[in-house]
mmCIF file of all heavy atoms in Angstrom:
data_model
loop_
_atom_site.group_PDB
_atom_site.id
_atom_site.type_symbol
_atom_site.label_atom_id
_atom_site.label_comp_id
_atom_site.label_asym_id
_atom_site.label_seq_id
_atom_site.Cartn_x
_atom_site.Cartn_y
_atom_site.Cartn_z
ATOM 1 N N SER A 3 2.965 -4.006 -15.955
ATOM 2 C CA SER A 3 2.990 -3.795 -14.443
ATOM 3 C C SER A 3 1.724 -2.981 -14.076
ATOM 4 O O SER A 3 1.420 -1.987 -14.759
ATOM 5 C CB SER A 3 4.243 -3.204 -14.016
ATOM 6 O OG SER A 3 5.320 -3.929 -14.398
ATOM 7 N N ALA A 4 1.298 -3.208 -12.936
ATOM 8 C CA ALA A 4 0.214 -2.416 -12.320
ATOM 9 C C ALA A 4 0.747 -1.800 -11.025
ATOM 10 O O ALA A 4 1.383 -2.511 -10.227
ATOM 11 C CB ALA A 4 -1.058 -3.280 -12.080
ATOM 12 N N ILE A 5 0.407 -0.501 -10.804
ATOM 13 C CA ILE A 5 0.713 0.085 -9.543
ATOM 14 C C ILE A 5 -0.656 0.284 -8.862
ATOM 15 O O ILE A 5 -1.536 0.929 -9.377
ATOM 16 C CB ILE A 5 1.335 1.418 -9.686
ATOM 17 C CG1 ILE A 5 2.815 1.221 -10.292
ATOM 18 C CG2 ILE A 5 1.501 2.226 -8.356
ATOM 19 C CD1 ILE A 5 3.530 2.585 -10.631
ATOM 20 N N TYR A 7 -2.424 1.648 -5.410
ATOM 21 C CA TYR A 7 -2.065 2.406 -4.238
ATOM 22 C C TYR A 7 -3.153 2.893 -3.408
ATOM 23 O O TYR A 7 -4.290 3.145 -3.983
ATOM 24 C CB TYR A 7 -1.147 3.579 -4.590
ATOM 25 C CG TYR A 7 -1.872 4.740 -5.295
ATOM 26 C CD1 TYR A 7 -2.456 5.723 -4.545
ATOM 27 C CD2 TYR A 7 -2.139 4.682 -6.627
ATOM 28 C CE1 TYR A 7 -3.128 6.784 -5.124
ATOM 29 C CE2 TYR A 7 -2.891 5.788 -7.225
ATOM 30 C CZ TYR A 7 -3.350 6.765 -6.476
ATOM 31 O OH TYR A 7 -4.091 7.764 -7.078
ATOM 32 N N THR A 14 1.383 9.441 -1.239
ATOM 33 C CA THR A 14 1.538 8.128 -1.890
ATOM 34 C C THR A 14 1.035 8.212 -3.301
ATOM 35 O O THR A 14 1.674 7.600 -4.265
ATOM 36 C CB THR A 14 0.901 6.979 -1.097
ATOM 37 O OG1 THR A 14 1.258 7.067 0.295
ATOM 38 C CG2 THR A 14 1.199 5.634 -1.702
ATOM 39 N N ARG A 15 -0.024 9.003 -3.490
ATOM 40 C CA ARG A 15 -0.525 9.220 -4.815
ATOM 41 C C ARG A 15 0.558 9.848 -5.767
ATOM 42 O O ARG A 15 0.721 9.456 -6.870
ATOM 43 C CB ARG A 15 -1.755 10.056 -4.798
ATOM 44 C CG ARG A 15 -2.399 10.266 -6.135
ATOM 45 C CD ARG A 15 -3.632 11.181 -6.116
ATOM 46 N NE ARG A 15 -4.657 10.550 -5.280
ATOM 47 C CZ ARG A 15 -5.123 11.199 -4.192
ATOM 48 N NH1 ARG A 15 -4.623 12.260 -3.767
ATOM 49 N NH2 ARG A 15 -6.040 10.525 -3.399
ATOM 50 N N ALA A 16 1.190 10.849 -5.214
ATOM 51 C CA ALA A 16 2.231 11.554 -5.993
ATOM 52 C C ALA A 16 3.456 10.627 -6.347
ATOM 53 O O ALA A 16 3.939 10.594 -7.434
ATOM 54 C CB ALA A 16 2.729 12.812 -5.167
ATOM 55 N N GLU A 17 3.780 9.771 -5.341
ATOM 56 C CA GLU A 17 4.844 8.813 -5.534
ATOM 57 C C GLU A 17 4.453 7.805 -6.623
ATOM 58 O O GLU A 17 5.318 7.417 -7.470
ATOM 59 C CB GLU A 17 5.219 8.152 -4.199
ATOM 60 C CG GLU A 17 6.442 7.217 -4.271
ATOM 61 C CD GLU A 17 7.721 7.819 -4.547
ATOM 62 O OE1 GLU A 17 7.914 9.002 -4.192
ATOM 63 O OE2 GLU A 17 8.648 7.146 -5.080
ATOM 64 N N ALA A 18 3.194 7.333 -6.465
ATOM 65 C CA ALA A 18 2.720 6.353 -7.454
ATOM 66 C C ALA A 18 2.741 7.031 -8.881
ATOM 67 O O ALA A 18 3.086 6.291 -9.848
ATOM 68 C CB ALA A 18 1.318 5.952 -7.058
ATOM 69 N N ALA A 19 2.167 8.220 -9.057
ATOM 70 C CA ALA A 19 2.194 8.877 -10.307
ATOM 71 C C ALA A 19 3.584 9.009 -10.941
ATOM 72 O O ALA A 19 3.817 8.844 -12.109
ATOM 73 C CB ALA A 19 1.476 10.255 -10.170
ATOM 74 N N LYS A 20 4.494 9.355 -10.073
ATOM 75 C CA LYS A 20 5.905 9.530 -10.508
ATOM 76 C C LYS A 20 6.441 8.243 -11.074
ATOM 77 O O LYS A 20 7.008 8.140 -12.155
ATOM 78 C CB LYS A 20 6.724 9.983 -9.346
ATOM 79 C CG LYS A 20 8.121 10.572 -9.666
ATOM 80 C CD LYS A 20 8.794 11.149 -8.450
ATOM 81 C CE LYS A 20 9.502 10.104 -7.597
ATOM 82 N NZ LYS A 20 10.067 10.607 -6.373
ATOM 83 N N ARG A 21 6.181 7.154 -10.315
ATOM 84 C CA ARG A 21 6.649 5.846 -10.764
ATOM 85 C C ARG A 21 5.931 5.384 -12.009
ATOM 86 O O ARG A 21 6.602 4.803 -12.903
ATOM 87 C CB ARG A 21 6.472 4.895 -9.700
ATOM 88 C CG ARG A 21 7.474 4.977 -8.513
ATOM 89 C CD ARG A 21 7.074 4.247 -7.336
ATOM 90 N NE ARG A 21 7.975 4.573 -6.188
ATOM 91 C CZ ARG A 21 8.901 3.715 -5.784
ATOM 92 N NH1 ARG A 21 9.034 2.449 -6.214
ATOM 93 N NH2 ARG A 21 9.744 4.171 -4.809
ATOM 94 N N ALA A 22 4.641 5.657 -12.164
ATOM 95 C CA ALA A 22 3.883 5.229 -13.379
ATOM 96 C C ALA A 22 4.520 5.981 -14.553
ATOM 97 O O ALA A 22 4.604 5.447 -15.626
ATOM 98 C CB ALA A 22 2.436 5.483 -13.147
ATOM 99 N N ALA A 23 4.778 7.314 -14.358
ATOM 100 C CA ALA A 23 5.265 8.114 -15.516
ATOM 101 C C ALA A 23 6.572 7.572 -16.012
ATOM 102 O O ALA A 23 6.881 7.588 -17.201
ATOM 103 C CB ALA A 23 5.396 9.612 -15.067
ATOM 104 N N SER A 24 7.453 7.138 -15.068
ATOM 105 C CA SER A 24 8.743 6.653 -15.512
ATOM 106 C C SER A 24 8.688 5.180 -16.002
ATOM 107 O O SER A 24 9.561 4.799 -16.853
ATOM 108 C CB SER A 24 9.841 6.920 -14.506
ATOM 109 O OG SER A 24 9.525 6.087 -13.339
ATOM 110 N N SER A 25 7.746 4.431 -15.555
ATOM 111 C CA SER A 25 7.814 3.000 -15.872
ATOM 112 C C SER A 25 6.746 2.656 -16.939
ATOM 113 O O SER A 25 6.801 1.586 -17.551
ATOM 114 C CB SER A 25 7.582 2.115 -14.648
ATOM 115 O OG SER A 25 6.159 2.306 -14.147
ATOM 116 N N GLY A 26 5.689 3.457 -17.056
ATOM 117 C CA GLY A 26 4.612 3.107 -18.018
ATOM 118 C C GLY A 26 3.620 2.147 -17.425
ATOM 119 O O GLY A 26 2.786 1.679 -18.099
ATOM 120 N N ALA A 27 3.730 2.012 -16.119
ATOM 121 C CA ALA A 27 2.798 1.013 -15.450
ATOM 122 C C ALA A 27 1.397 1.625 -15.395
ATOM 123 O O ALA A 27 1.210 2.816 -15.405
ATOM 124 C CB ALA A 27 3.229 0.711 -14.026
ATOM 125 N N ASP A 28 0.367 0.760 -15.426
ATOM 126 C CA ASP A 28 -1.037 1.293 -15.223
ATOM 127 C C ASP A 28 -1.202 1.505 -13.760
ATOM 128 O O ASP A 28 -0.694 0.757 -12.898
ATOM 129 C CB ASP A 28 -2.021 0.238 -15.726
ATOM 130 C CG ASP A 28 -2.024 0.026 -17.159
ATOM 131 O OD1 ASP A 28 -1.504 0.916 -17.914
ATOM 132 O OD2 ASP A 28 -2.510 -1.027 -17.679
ATOM 133 N N VAL A 29 -2.026 2.502 -13.391
ATOM 134 C CA VAL A 29 -2.196 2.917 -11.989
ATOM 135 C C VAL A 29 -3.621 2.759 -11.568
ATOM 136 O O VAL A 29 -4.546 3.124 -12.276
ATOM 137 C CB VAL A 29 -1.774 4.363 -11.763
ATOM 138 C CG1 VAL A 29 -1.527 4.618 -10.223
ATOM 139 C CG2 VAL A 29 -0.590 4.771 -12.545
ATOM 140 N N PHE A 30 -3.773 2.188 -10.329
ATOM 141 C CA PHE A 30 -5.125 1.969 -9.781
ATOM 142 C C PHE A 30 -5.152 2.506 -8.378
ATOM 143 O O PHE A 30 -4.296 2.161 -7.623
ATOM 144 C CB PHE A 30 -5.558 0.502 -9.783
ATOM 145 C CG PHE A 30 -5.491 -0.074 -11.172
ATOM 146 C CD1 PHE A 30 -4.354 -0.715 -11.664
ATOM 147 C CD2 PHE A 30 -6.669 -0.026 -12.014
ATOM 148 C CE1 PHE A 30 -4.290 -1.276 -12.944
ATOM 149 C CE2 PHE A 30 -6.592 -0.610 -13.266
ATOM 150 C CZ PHE A 30 -5.432 -1.213 -13.739
ATOM 151 N N THR A 73 2.862 -3.515 -8.063
ATOM 152 C CA THR A 73 3.370 -2.721 -7.107
ATOM 153 C C THR A 73 2.361 -2.193 -6.139
ATOM 154 O O THR A 73 1.479 -1.466 -6.630
ATOM 155 C CB THR A 73 4.260 -1.632 -7.651
ATOM 156 O OG1 THR A 73 5.277 -2.147 -8.491
ATOM 157 C CG2 THR A 73 4.878 -0.746 -6.601
ATOM 158 N N MET A 75 1.247 0.031 -2.995
ATOM 159 C CA MET A 75 1.844 1.174 -2.271
ATOM 160 C C MET A 75 0.858 1.692 -1.333
ATOM 161 O O MET A 75 -0.347 1.795 -1.585
ATOM 162 C CB MET A 75 2.162 2.320 -3.305
ATOM 163 C CG MET A 75 3.148 1.929 -4.401
ATOM 164 S SD MET A 75 3.524 3.277 -5.533
ATOM 165 C CE MET A 75 4.242 4.458 -4.439
#
Side-chain angles (χ1 to χ4, degrees):
S3 302
I5 294 175
Y7 75 91
T14 310
R15 182 181 301 114
E17 183 68 25
K20 195 172 83 182
R21 285 165 186 253
S24 65
S25 68
D28 292 342
V29 198
F30 301 91
T73 299
M75 302 180 62

